[in-house]
Amino acid sequence: MPWTTVQVEKLDNFFIKDDTAGDRILTYKDALHEALDQSLARDPRVFIMGEGVDDVAGVFGTTKGLKEKYGENRVFDTPIAENSLTGIAAGAAMAGLRPVLIHARMDFILLSLDQLVNHASKWSYMFAGQVKVPMVVRTISARGWGSGAQHSQCIQGMLMNVPGLKIVAPATPYDAKGLMISAIIDNNPVLFVEHRWLHKTTGPVPENLYSIPIGKGVIRRKGNDITIVAISYMLVEALKAADKLKEAGISAEVVDLRSLKPFDEEIIIESVSKTGRLLIADTGSKTGSVASEIAAFAAEKAFYHLKKPVVRVCCPDTPTPTSDVLEKAYYPSDEDIFREAAKLVRD
Amino acid sequence: MERDKLIEMYRTMKLIRRIEQRINDEYKYDEIKTPIHLSIGQEAVAAGVCVHLRKDDYIFSTHRNHAQYIAKGGNIRKMIAELYLRTTGCARGRGGSMHLVDTDVGILGSTAIVGGNIPLGTGTALASKLLNNDRVTVVFFGDGAADEGTFHESLNFAAVRKLPVVYVCENNFYAINSHQKARQAGEGIYQWGRGYGMPGYRIDGNDVLEVSEYARQAIERCRKGEGPTLLECITYRWKGHIGTVDDVGDGYRPKEEYDYWLSKCPIKRFAEFLRIKEILTDELEKAIDEEIDTTVEDAFSFAKSSPKPSTVELTEFVYVD
């Protein structure tokens, strides 16, 4: 059994309520599977490729059985060639198809930066919109069970600096499905950031095909004392922290950004104008992170609403250690968010 | 080969040569404010390959893309306007010489990253295969691109999936000033094609008839679903890597080497062949030259009289709807 599965199976189920989403409960990974399945069924231009997408594991179950259902021209395995695969997807997109390329570890994205950054993301701009590159790059961050420095990175912050690339990082099953569908129908390259620890998260997911607008955040929990902006898996930690803060008499508003680029500026300004305090929780290293960008944005656009300095809860600026002891120290948790948030409100 | 195709190849080669010479002449006036890369001396490759392509076939090119753009039927007015970075240019002045595009004739863009176009062309070929149409993709690149991982990754992918793509390496021996021998220990780029399970041929890139014959077979293989081919076309660029510089002597390329290749001028050689075959007459040559002169003159005056972009365009097209 793959090591990540071992680690994820140990996790508690985390249920995230989505008020608009109905009654049927699915896991995040099943929601993704359904989004891919329905997109393949709806649009013959959609196809899925990547290392191991048609094997028995089916990328943690998210592509399982799709090859059998749609044939090997629509769902197929590839050589180990991340950079060229990204360019091949881009070329196929230019020729009218809608590829979904899967890099099973976000670390592997680094091998494909030339095609992602130099080609796919700037092609439309460079040619004045005449050539479109409607592709999705699914990428999965892992964590835990000694993944170490090269199998656990969350480099979405680095990629926010790429003009022309859209980046989404859904945290709930409802968003995973809706944003995957949005990413597939978008006419631009979209980086779809998953986190392995979210795959087991459960929540309501409608059966129908629906899309969630890219660039729109959502308030997961209303509050008045502090705004916690969380992305990807850190939403889970932020919601746990918000429970603890409530017990301590602090009312936290939790904003799930969902889209990292472009991100929802309004929702942050509005929340901070109410709470006056901002904590940002990111899954990546601190320097140059998504949290850094949100902090800079708050300084530019919400400075006069802030009563206190902005706080970022991120991983430290070190590679991920493999030792379970060091790993535990490396990853910020709900405790860290709770502590920093309480300090911000009380001090 | 039919007479009209022979004349078409001759016309294409001459048009490429005339346009490149004119760019070379105009560059000193500093109105073409972008790096240019000329392929004078290499005209036979683009002409010999593209003569077999349909309008809806795809090509992908590089920073040295003028010849291929012209040979594939790109709009000459829009090309020159792009060099002058005008709004009437094929990319509204956003791409310049290194990034020519003409979607009407299957030119989906050109890259300035060595080897960067090879996956893209492999991707359009994948699309042709998945869509079950018979469009062929040709990817043009230099010998330097065979140093890159994308070359190897893409050839492997295309061979595994039997994609309708022809990889055309214009081997002019030099990556900027570095000779192929300093960069590659192998016996020939074409052999990599064989290593990846596709036909690979080394051919005389200054003989347009040879290029054309191998390209025809490769393109036919693609249309029949038999998969990719690698053609290594040995040729030579007369000008330096970039701009209008000459890099002969003074520690750069040896004068003897340069003179040898000048004597192998692909256009002169083909013209002689056509004259022997009595296809090219003084009359026809004059007619072709006059027609080309008109095209070139028209394109340059169109470009020079076209407006430059307005700064409001700066942030347009980062994303497309």
Side-chain angles (χ1 to χ4, degrees), chain B residues 63-83:
Chain B
H63 55 282
R64 196 177 308 284
N65 61 19
H66 301 163
Q68 290 113 24
Y69 179 92
I70 295 164
K72 186 64 172 64
N75 185 306
I76 305 296
R77 274 187 158 195
K78 289 183 178 177
M79 171 193 169
I80 304 303
E82 188 59 31
L83 265 60

Side-chain angles (χ1 to χ4, degrees), chain A residues 158-170:
Chain A
M158 199 188 283
L159 294 160
M160 277 184 92
N161 196 243
V162 180
L165 184 65
K166 292 187 180 181
I167 308 175
V168 297

Side-chain angles (χ1 to χ4, degrees), chain A residues 90-123:
Chain A
M94 290 173 198
L97 295 182
R98 297 202 167 248
V100 177
L101 171 67
I102 304 178
H103 295 301
R105 294 287 178 281
M106 197 175 202
D107 313 71
F108 307 160
I109 285 278
L110 292 167
L111 288 148
S112 68
L113 285 185
D114 166 52
Q115 287 299 325
L116 190 65
V117 180
N118 277 326
H119 293 86
S121 299
K122 54 182 72 154
W123 215 252

Side-chain angles (χ1 to χ4, degrees), chain A residues 313-343:
Chain A
V313 175
C314 305
C315 293
D317 287 332
T318 70
T320 314
T322 304
S323 146
D324 53 342
V325 177
L326 298 178
E327 197 181 50
K328 198 159 183 297
Y330 174 81
Y331 287 111
S333 67
D334 59 325
E335 283 295 332
D336 298 298
I337 296 172
F338 170 76
R339 191 182 58 247
E340 293 297 328
K343 213 159 67 179

